[in-house]
Amino acid sequence: MSLPSAVRLTASCSRRTVSCSRLQFLGPIQNNFTHSAISRSPTTSYIRLYASRSKAKSTADLVPGSKQALTSEAARLEYGKSEAKMGAAVEWYRKEVAALETRASGRVTPALLSPVRIELPGKGKDLVKLEEVATIGVRDGSTLIITVFEEHNLKVVEQALYAAKLPNIVPQRQDSRTIKIPIPRSLTSSSCDMDIHRFSFRPTVEARNALTATAQRMAEESRVQLRKIQQASVKKGDYKKHSVELEEFQKLADRNTAEVDKILAHMKKSTGAR
C-alpha cells in the first residue's frame, strides 16, 4: 500500500471514530439536560381522600331545594287553605265571565255551564268538569240540553248544577239521562239590538266592548285577591328568604293567576272584542 493511500485510510477511520464518539458523547448530555430540566420544573402533589365504606352516602336520594316538598305540617295545612281560597276565587271569576260571555255573544252557549264541577261517587273529593261526564248542546237557541254518559250520574250532575248557583239556571229533568235548562231571554238581551225577522239578539260592538271591559276589571280584582291570599299565608308562616315554602306559595299564586288570564283570553276570542 502506498503512503498516500495509508494516510487517506487513517484519516477516514479517524473521522468515523470521532463521529461515533461524538454521537455517544452527545446522547448522555442531551438525556441529562432533559432530566435536569424536568427535575427543576415545579411539581404539585394532589392527594385524593376517599370516604370510608361505613360513612359513604349515596346521592341518589338527594332532592334539589327547588323540588323539595313542604316538610312542615303547619306549612302543608296553610298551603291547603290557600289553595282552596285561590280556587274559589278563580271559580267565581269563571262563573261571572260565563254570564258576561253569554250576554256578549247574544246567544246561549255551553260555556255558560263551564263553572260547574261534579263530585263523582267513589272518586273522593276530586271534582271533575261537566264535559267529562256529559255532553252539552243547545236547542232552539235558548235551551241547554245535558245528556249524561251514564244514567247513575244524572243525580250528581243535577246536584252540581244547583250547587254552582249560576244565575237564572234551573235544571229540569226530562228522562233518565237528559236535563234541559231553559235560559231566560233577559239573560241574553241585555244591551243588545233585537232582530225582529230572526227573533234573535245581536249585541252591538259597543256592548261587547263594554262587557269585555267589565271582565278585564273583574280579572284584575281576582289577581289582587290572589296576591292577598298569598301574602297572608306567607306572613302567617314567617318563612325564611329563598325557602321552599316561599317558592311553593309563589307557584300556587302564579298558577291561579295564569288560569284567570286564560279565562279572560278565551272570552275575548269568543266574543271578538278587543
Side-chain angles (χ1 to χ4, degrees):
M1 180 182 295
S2 61
L3 181 60
S5 299
V7 172
R8 286 197 298 270
L9 179 61
T10 304
S12 176
C13 291
S14 63
R15 285 197 299 269
R16 291 177 183 177
T17 304
V18 172
S19 178
C20 293
S21 62
R22 182 180 297 174
L23 291 175
Q24 294 176 358
F25 177 73
L26 290 176
I29 294 177
Q30 186 175 3
N31 292 336
N32 292 334
F33 176 77
T34 306
H35 178 70
S36 61
I38 294 176
S39 61
R40 291 195 189 99
S41 61
T43 58
T44 304
S45 300
Y46 296 94
I47 301 176
R48 188 169 184 176
L49 302 177
Y50 294 91
S52 61
R53 292 183 179 272
S54 60
K55 296 182 180 180
K57 294 183 179 180
S58 174
T59 59
D61 298 332
L62 298 181
V63 181
S66 58
K67 296 183 179 180
Q68 290 180 1
L70 299 176
T71 56
S72 173
E73 183 65 24
R76 286 197 295 268
L77 291 175
E78 188 62 30
Y79 184 88
K81 293 179 181 179
S82 298
E83 189 176 20
K85 291 179 181 179
M86 291 185 183
V90 173
E91 291 304 318
W92 172 85
Y93 180 68
R94 192 193 308 275
K95 187 186 303 182
E96 295 296 325
V97 168
L100 292 174
E101 185 177 349
T102 302
R103 292 169 57 185
S105 62
R107 62 184 183 275
V108 177
T109 63
L112 187 63
L113 301 180
S114 58
V116 178
R117 294 293 181 270
I118 302 170
E119 183 177 348
L120 295 176
K123 296 289 185 178
K125 295 184 179 181
D126 295 334
L127 302 180
V128 299
K129 297 180 180 180
L130 180 59
E131 295 83 356
E132 298 180 21
V133 297
T135 59
I136 308 173
V138 181
R139 180 185 298 172
D140 300 330
S142 61
T143 304
L144 291 173
I145 302 297
I146 303 174
T147 305
V148 297
F149 301 140
E150 301 177 3
E151 294 183 6
H152 64 270
N153 287 333
L154 184 68
K155 185 176 181 180
V156 293
V157 169
E158 189 175 9
Q159 292 174 349
L161 290 170
Y162 281 111
K165 297 181 180 180
L166 297 173
N168 301 308
I169 297 298
V170 181
Q172 300 176 5
R173 185 182 299 189
Q174 277 193 318
D175 53 42
S176 60
R177 293 182 56 191
T178 309
I179 297 175
K180 83 173 179 179
I181 304 176
I183 305 299
R185 189 172 293 273
S186 59
L187 187 63
T188 59
S189 62
S190 177
S191 302
C192 299
D193 295 335
M194 181 174 181
D195 186 347
I196 300 177
H197 299 286
R198 297 185 181 180
F199 296 99
S200 61
F201 296 91
R202 296 185 303 179
T204 61
V205 176
E206 292 79 7
R208 289 199 300 269
N209 291 338
L211 292 172
T212 303
T214 303
Q216 289 177 338
R217 177 177 55 80
M218 290 182 176
E220 184 58 31
E221 293 175 356
S222 299
R223 296 188 194 100
V224 172
Q225 183 67 18
L226 293 174
R227 287 195 295 268
K228 287 182 179 180
I229 296 173
Q230 176 201 3
Q231 292 171 0
S233 298
V234 170
K235 184 177 180 181
K236 185 176 180 180
D238 193 19
Y239 306 114
K240 296 181 180 180
K241 191 175 181 181
H242 303 301
S243 63
V244 177
E245 290 79 7
L246 288 180
E247 293 182 4
E248 291 299 322
F249 279 106
Q250 184 62 49
K251 290 178 182 178
L252 179 63
D254 293 342
R255 186 164 61 250
N256 285 275
T257 301
E259 187 65 22
V260 171
D261 297 338
K262 182 179 177 181
I263 295 171
L264 179 61
H266 181 270
M267 179 188 175
K268 290 181 177 180
K269 182 178 180 180
S270 62
T271 58
R274 297 180 178 178

